[in-house]
Amino acid sequence: MKIVTQVKLMPEAEQAAALRSTLRTVNEAACWVSKVAFEHGVPREYELRKHTYAELKARGLGAQAAQHVIKKTRDAYTTLKANTKAGNLGKPGSKRRRKAESKPITFRPEAAQPYDDRCLSWQYDAQTVSIWTTTGRLKNVPFTCSTDALKMLREHRRGESDLIERDGVFYLIAVCDIPEPEVYEPAGFIGVDLGIVNIATTSTGYRAAGRGLNRHRKRQLDLRRKLQAKGTKSAKRLLKKRSRKEARHTANINHTISKTIVTTAERTGHGIALEDLTGIRDRVRHRKDQRTSLHSWSFHQLGRYIEYKARRAGVPLVYVDPAYTSRQCSECGHIDRRNRADQATFACRACGFLANADDNASHNIGRKAETVWTAGRESRVPATP
């Protein structure tokens, strides 16, 4: 299993200037390569290399750096094609899709640049790196990270690392290939119901309320509106400074919730069941004043965090069909739209069962997961006559 580890570089002033200049140069070159690729109908990487490699070398890029610039440009167009095919940029002919397809892809001056082991070497004991720049190789550039991150780098780092600049600070994001433990046979499944009012509710009784996160998002939204209306240079600087604050806060909360769920499942020998909510934003209809909450709902990120933590711990995880999980009674199985009295209350019209709506849904999800898990183990080969 591949995960990423981030370390913070702590270069001296001259080293920082060299790193900044390198990122500006390679991303400017990537924009030029993108323009060439767009003019030639986005050829394959090998053909694109014939059109651009010599010019990149003439611009002062090393052989490996030039190859990485070409590769990351071609990968950007591959990603664009995949997003277009998946409908993430709207329907054919939509304004957003036409805008994306009508011009070359551009790269920000501080965008990530890949480095392989020929351009970057790690000295774990000294906690320094040696890294290629357009002004020469920088040696003994110190970095800092946690003890666990350093151990992971030392034992599992593989492949490329990305150099990025964020708010004037340089980071290296390294890929670590961690062996996955064998998945155990679960004693049952913990159903996890994801929502906006309650971020996650499990069939074991754990509930992560979303009130604090929703209030934080509202404060950030109100602040952005005020700063955007002000429009001064200082307001724009503050907007840029706070641009990722909400994302970091949300990610931290999702990490905490996912760790709690996976730890509980591992301790009790259970598996984890999640709803497959793919495309829910396109299916659900909300009032205009509810759209912000729906589109800022980070259910996908939380699901990904639970998934990779479960894989690291060897915890079984299955996705189930979310149909009727909020309308079905977990006691008698009766399905009725009227069972959902309101957002928080479930009252079965058949047997009179009364419970919290999210708790009821989590039990339905857990029960569905047991069926899915059993069906996956059963042979579908027809019996021999």
Side-chain angles (χ1 to χ4, degrees):
M1 180 180 68
K2 288 182 172 57
I3 64 173
V4 296
T5 300
Q6 178 177 283
V7 302
K8 179 180 178 181
L9 295 182
M10 305 182 69
E12 298 177 356
E14 294 182 358
Q15 294 174 331
L19 292 174
R20 186 170 293 108
S21 174
T22 299
L23 281 180
R24 301 299 187 273
T25 301
V26 295
N27 284 305
E28 182 182 348
C31 290
W32 174 79
V33 173
S34 176
K35 184 178 179 181
V36 173
F38 187 79
E39 292 173 352
H40 287 80
V42 192
R44 292 180 300 174
E45 184 179 335
Y46 177 76
E47 296 173 357
L48 183 59
R49 189 178 296 122
K50 292 193 295 184
H51 292 294
T52 58
Y53 181 76
E55 173 63 21
L56 292 177
K57 290 285 290 181
R59 292 184 178 218
L61 273 63
Q64 289 302 110
Q67 302 282 13
H68 284 307
V69 166
I70 296 170
K71 185 176 185 300
K72 85 171 185 178
T73 304
R74 188 62 184 83
D75 289 345
Y77 278 99
T78 301
T79 302
L80 175 62
K81 183 178 179 181
N83 284 328
T84 303
K85 186 177 181 180
N88 297 335
L89 299 177
K91 298 179 180 179
S94 66
K95 182 178 179 181
R96 185 183 179 192
R97 185 162 174 172
R98 289 200 311 269
K99 183 178 179 181
E101 295 176 335
S102 63
K103 61 181 181 179
I105 293 175
T106 58
F107 296 84
R108 292 175 289 105
E110 66 277 7
Q113 172 66 13
Y115 280 79
D116 59 18
D117 289 340
R118 298 183 184 182
C119 309
L120 174 70
S121 60
W122 299 76
Q123 295 80 45
Y124 301 115
D125 294 334
Q127 284 195 221
T128 60
V129 295
S130 172
I131 186 170
W132 172 87
T133 68
T134 53
T135 58
R137 195 170 186 100
L138 298 181
K139 296 183 179 180
N140 301 322
V141 180
F143 69 86
T144 181
C145 62
S146 66
T147 304
D148 292 339
L150 182 62
K151 181 180 179 182
M152 185 177 297
L153 286 170
R154 190 191 302 270
E155 296 177 356
H156 303 295
R157 189 194 65 80
R158 298 289 185 277
E160 297 179 354
S161 303
D162 286 347
L163 173 68
I164 64 171
E165 182 185 1
R166 188 183 301 147
D167 297 332
V169 182
F170 294 94
Y171 298 91
L172 279 173
I173 301 177
V175 178
C176 296
D177 192 357
I178 299 178
E180 294 183 34
E182 186 176 352
V183 176
Y184 57 77
E185 184 66 26
F189 279 87
I190 298 176
V192 182
D193 180 61
L194 304 180
I196 298 176
V197 175
N198 292 314
I199 302 174
T201 304
T202 70
S203 54
T204 58
Y206 171 70
R207 184 178 301 158
R211 181 182 179 186
L213 178 59
N214 293 332
R215 290 175 64 183
H216 175 80
R217 283 174 172 159
K218 188 178 185 306
R219 287 197 300 270
Q220 297 300 315
L221 178 61
D222 293 340
L223 178 61
R224 283 198 300 271
R225 285 173 176 168
K226 292 178 182 178
L227 292 174
Q228 288 167 353
K230 198 171 186 65
T232 61
K233 289 186 177 180
S234 60
K236 293 178 181 178
R237 283 198 300 268
L238 186 56
L239 274 171
K240 184 177 180 180
K241 181 179 179 181
R242 301 176 68 91
S243 61
R244 288 183 296 272
K245 185 172 184 178
E246 181 180 331
R248 291 196 302 268
H249 183 71
T250 303
N252 181 62
I253 290 176
N254 285 338
H255 271 300
T256 303
I257 295 171
S258 60
K259 185 175 181 179
T260 301
I261 293 172
V262 173
T263 302
T264 301
E266 185 180 15
R267 186 181 68 251
T268 59
H270 284 66
I272 299 174
L274 295 174
E275 294 175 293
D276 183 4
L277 299 176
T278 304
I280 189 171
R281 290 190 175 95
D282 298 325
R283 298 194 304 268
V284 176
R285 294 183 179 181
H286 277 71
R287 297 192 307 268
K288 188 174 182 179
D289 60 343
Q290 295 177 319
R291 293 174 187 170
T292 300
S293 298
L294 176 64
H295 289 281
S296 61
W297 181 24
S298 58
F299 67 89
H300 180 73
Q301 184 187 68
L302 177 57
R304 296 295 294 175
Y305 287 173
I306 294 174
E307 182 177 346
Y308 95 80
K309 285 179 170 61
R311 289 176 60 189
R312 287 190 65 181
V315 176
L317 184 142
V318 296
Y319 286 91
V320 303
D321 185 356
Y324 306 114
T325 54
S326 62
R327 300 180 184 179
Q328 182 178 14
C329 178
S330 59
E331 289 293 319
C332 69
H334 176 67
I335 299 175
D336 193 330
R337 184 176 185 178
R338 296 173 297 172
N339 284 347
R340 190 72 178 264
D342 54 45
Q343 188 279 324
T345 308
F346 182 90
C348 182
R349 295 278 175 162
C351 68
F353 175 67
L354 184 66
N356 178 275
D358 293 337
D359 288 337
N360 177 77
S362 66
H363 284 89
N364 289 329
I365 295 168
R367 191 172 293 112
K368 278 190 173 185
E370 294 178 2
T371 303
V372 172
W373 181 263
T374 303
R377 292 181 300 169
E378 293 177 351
S379 174
R380 297 301 180 187
V381 179
T384 304

